[in-house]
Amino acid sequence: MNFGLHHLFFFDRRKWILNLWFLYSLTIPFYTNILDDSVNKETLALWYYFRWKIETYFKLLKSSGFNMEKWQQTEPIALFRRLLIVSYACVLVWKIANDNSKNAKKIREFLILLSGRLIEKNKEFTYPALLAGLENYMQMLDLISMFSIDELLHIRQELLDIIGFDI
């Protein structure tokens, strides 16, 4: 048998490497269920790249963000509405993660800080951490709209009195 090593690079508009894939095999049917020999290795790798993006989305829906398996909607329309809302939140997180504007990194750092999540060294963020930070930020905005600054400071002081130390 003769196996090959193939380097496949995917670049963004600035010519930065997005992903590097190593595929080991002689033919496509060896490592995939695609039996069409006309599909080249680059196309196949691109399909897997997009599949991974979909898997990341489902991970956010299921275990790393919205805990979809624990939803208790029984009516299809209620489930559809909730899925629509959380899908929109995922789109927002994707936009934040892929934003290259001047303040994008600062916004991601802010959301990571709000999330309370630990991020591996050499990793700027994770999608679940951005999602958690965005959720906390939106809750903060709700609180600010419901209470005045004086009320929030008064609640803070009452909490300090209860716990006995400054946080």
Side-chain angles (χ1 to χ4, degrees):
M1 292 188 115
N2 201 2
F3 292 94
L5 170 62
H6 306 281
H7 300 274
L8 302 174
F9 297 90
F10 295 93
F11 298 93
D12 67 3
R13 283 177 256 153
R14 294 166 310 220
K15 305 292 183 202
W16 292 359
I17 294 176
L18 294 176
N19 277 332
L20 170 63
W21 290 52
F22 299 99
L23 302 176
Y24 300 91
S25 85
L26 259 180
T27 62
I28 290 173
F30 180 78
Y31 58 86
T32 183
N33 59 358
I34 306 293
L35 300 176
D36 184 356
D37 289 336
S38 68
V39 177
N40 64 33
K41 293 172 182 67
E42 289 79 12
T43 300
L44 183 66
L46 185 62
W47 290 349
Y48 276 96
Y49 169 77
F50 289 129
R51 178 174 179 223
W52 188 252
K53 295 291 184 185
I54 293 168
E55 293 295 333
T56 302
Y57 167 70
F58 282 119
K59 183 178 179 184
L60 276 177
L61 285 179
K62 294 166 86 179
S63 62
S64 295
F66 293 107
N67 297 317
M68 185 176 171
E69 283 104 2
K70 295 181 182 174
W71 292 359
Q72 297 184 13
Q73 280 76 22
T74 56
E75 296 297 317
I77 193 68
L79 184 61
F80 174 74
R81 284 182 186 143
R82 187 161 186 187
L83 188 57
L84 191 62
I85 291 168
V86 298
S87 294
Y88 183 68
C90 289
V91 168
L92 289 176
V93 166
W94 181 86
K95 285 183 76 168
I96 293 166
N98 292 288
D99 187 1
N100 294 320
S101 66
K102 188 172 83 172
N103 294 324
K105 183 174 176 153
K106 189 175 183 180
I107 291 168
R108 287 190 290 269
E109 289 171 352
F110 172 75
L111 292 176
I112 295 299
L113 183 63
L114 284 179
S115 77
R117 305 267 177 109
L118 296 175
I119 305 296
E120 293 177 33
K121 278 187 177 180
N122 303 325
K123 212 175 206 187
E124 181 187 347
F125 64 87
T126 64
Y127 288 96
L130 288 177
L131 180 64
L134 184 61
E135 180 183 14
N136 290 341
Y137 180 62
M138 293 173 89
Q139 290 173 352
M140 287 173 50
L141 292 176
D142 281 345
L143 283 174
I144 291 170
S145 70
M146 293 173 14
F147 298 97
S148 70
I149 296 294
D150 289 337
E151 289 173 313
L152 290 171
L153 291 173
H154 181 73
I155 291 169
R156 177 186 182 271
Q157 188 56 51
E158 288 180 351
L159 280 171
L160 292 176
D161 292 344
I162 291 170
I163 62 176
F165 59 90
D166 197 354
I167 44 178

